[in-house]
Amino acid sequence: MKGAAPDLSAATYQIFDETHTMGNALRWMIMKNPKVQFCGYSVPHPSENLIQLRIQMFDGLSSLNALLEALDNLDGVCESVEERYLVSLREGRYERWEEKELVINVPSCMRRVE
């Protein structure tokens, strides 16, 4: 996109078919990198199914490398969460909740007559 530095130390990336869920998680993971000066994302318009991710690096480092590293790290976090979730299911370590039937008492004057 426009505004990219020739060395990719600052660039805006468009990621299609993603929403705020991925944008915020990716921004968080990228900002954990101490070599990143700035990272922010936006959804240009609700009808557009994409996010725009701006990354600026210190010392002329590549924002593309920071993005790829963050994607790998985020993938690792998701795998870890899934693994722990499946273990807790197998071991039965989860809260059980049963939905109770909802009974509504409607006054006779409000009931529909057929």
Side-chain angles (χ1 to χ4, degrees), residues 32-77:
K32 290 177 64 78
N33 182 339
K35 299 170 188 167
V36 173
Q37 181 180 22
F38 171 82
C39 181
Y41 81 95
S42 65
V43 176
H45 192 275
S47 68
E48 294 182 72
N49 196 20
L50 65 92
I51 60 174
Q52 293 179 343
L53 186 70
R54 176 75 178 177
I55 306 171
Q56 294 173 203
M57 304 294 291
F58 287 114
D59 303 325
L61 297 172
S62 171
S63 62
L64 181 57
N65 289 342
L67 174 58
L68 294 174
E69 180 182 329
L71 286 167
D72 282 342
N73 292 342
L74 193 55
D75 187 50
V77 168

